[in-house]
Amino acid sequence: MTGFIVVIPARMASSRLPGKPLADIAGKPMVVRVAEQAAKSRAGRVIVAADHSDILAACAAHGVEAVPTREDHASGTDRLAEAAAKLGLADDAVVVNVQGDEPLIEPALIDRLADLLDTAGDAPMATLAHEIHDAADHFNPNVVKVALDKHGRALYFSRAPIPYARDAYAADRSVLPAGLPAYRHIGMYGYRAGFLRAYARLEAAPLEQYEALEQLRVLWHGYAIMVAVASEAPAAGVDTPEDLERVRRLLGA
């Protein structure tokens, strides 16, 4: 589909990389680099949802649309909900959340997520995943896993190894069993704008709090999340100073 809206949540505070949205990459702030990549998709509009005046100023200096949001949001989805309300988006508008630390994001992935939500029926939310091929990744709590039903809807997201191959792992945990439907969640989301407003009013879920995964609030309240399986993992984002230096080298900074 075309004409959907990309919203990029940008938060100044970061425990591992303070001021991350404004980190310089080849002469431009990272959040601007992300917006420029997102603009290569079929999106009709790309907007940064910022929690700090310096981010807003940087976006304005580079011609990137931005909207101010509160500093105290618990998650990126909550920040998007505020942005959608301020922008007055129609309930059926498709909004794609692109993380503000993904300057190498593939525009085709953004388009695929928008297309998925456009055909998702009554599911108000969509996301992406890719196959896991390494048992170490399957057992790594920093790798978020998702289990799917036969229609491609999420059954559950977890930091634990799901599905757990009971018999195979009893014998050997170092090898992923052949054919195991193990998928790593890619942290991009698409939403209907009306659902974003509803999400902001939903009670936090115990599952969400224990796993530290905001998408579990959606499943806990009975909403469906559609999942498309990408052929490969996207380029890694920027979480640490080392990540930032890697991206700078790739982009010629």
Side-chain angles (χ1 to χ4, degrees):
M1 71 174 300
T2 59
F4 60 91
I5 299 159
V6 169
V7 179
I8 302 166
R11 184 172 65 94
M12 187 65 84
S14 171
S15 58
R16 288 184 287 184
L17 194 59
K20 182 163 62 171
L22 300 183
D24 183 85
I25 299 176
K28 293 180 182 179
M30 178 158 54
V31 69
V32 171
R33 290 284 178 190
V34 176
E36 290 177 343
Q37 276 295 98
K40 297 174 186 176
S41 71
R42 299 195 304 267
R45 196 173 176 188
V46 176
I47 305 162
V48 172
D51 75 344
H52 196 282
S53 59
D54 288 352
I55 302 174
L56 295 169
C59 288
H62 291 274
V64 174
E65 186 177 1
V67 61
T69 58
R70 302 196 323 260
E71 295 182 10
D72 60 348
H73 285 302
S75 71
T77 304
D78 292 304
R79 191 172 307 283
L80 259 70
E82 182 188 355
K86 285 191 170 184
L87 294 165
L89 301 181
D91 282 352
D92 61 351
V94 171
V95 179
V96 175
N97 175 359
V98 174
Q99 299 299 325
D101 57 5
E102 300 279 355
L104 303 177
I105 189 68
E106 284 290 336
L109 277 180
I110 300 172
D111 290 336
R112 184 169 185 187
L113 190 50
D115 290 342
L116 176 62
L117 189 59
D118 190 45
T119 59
D122 62 352
M125 184 170 168
T127 191
L128 301 170
H130 67 87
E131 290 186 6
I132 294 175
H133 300 289
D134 188 335
D137 285 339
H138 201 213
F139 282 93
N140 184 347
N142 295 317
V143 173
V144 178
K145 277 72 66 173
V146 58
L148 309 178
D149 72 9
K150 70 176 184 178
H151 302 293
R153 293 182 298 237
L155 290 168
Y156 191 64
F157 296 86
S158 183
R159 298 182 182 279
I162 58 170
Y164 189 87
R166 185 194 65 177
D167 295 341
Y169 283 151
D172 185 358
R173 286 192 176 194
S174 67
V175 178
L176 198 71
L180 185 71
Y183 299 102
R184 178 177 189 163
H185 179 226
I186 298 172
M188 290 175 58
Y189 300 101
Y191 316 82
R192 297 285 179 188
F195 176 70
L196 276 172
R197 284 187 275 275
Y199 179 93
R201 298 189 296 268
L202 294 177
E203 175 191 358
L207 297 173
E208 163 194 7
Q209 295 170 330
Y210 281 108
E211 292 258 24
L213 298 173
E214 64 185 277
Q215 64 270 36
L216 289 175
R217 184 184 310 182
V218 178
L219 298 183
W220 192 75
H221 283 278
Y223 294 96
I225 301 176
M226 293 298 299
V227 183
V229 178
S231 58
E232 59 184 35
V238 176
D239 287 321
T240 66
E242 292 76 21
D243 293 335
L244 179 59
E245 290 307 314
R246 169 181 52 81
V247 171
R248 282 172 169 165
R249 289 194 298 270
L250 287 171
L251 295 180

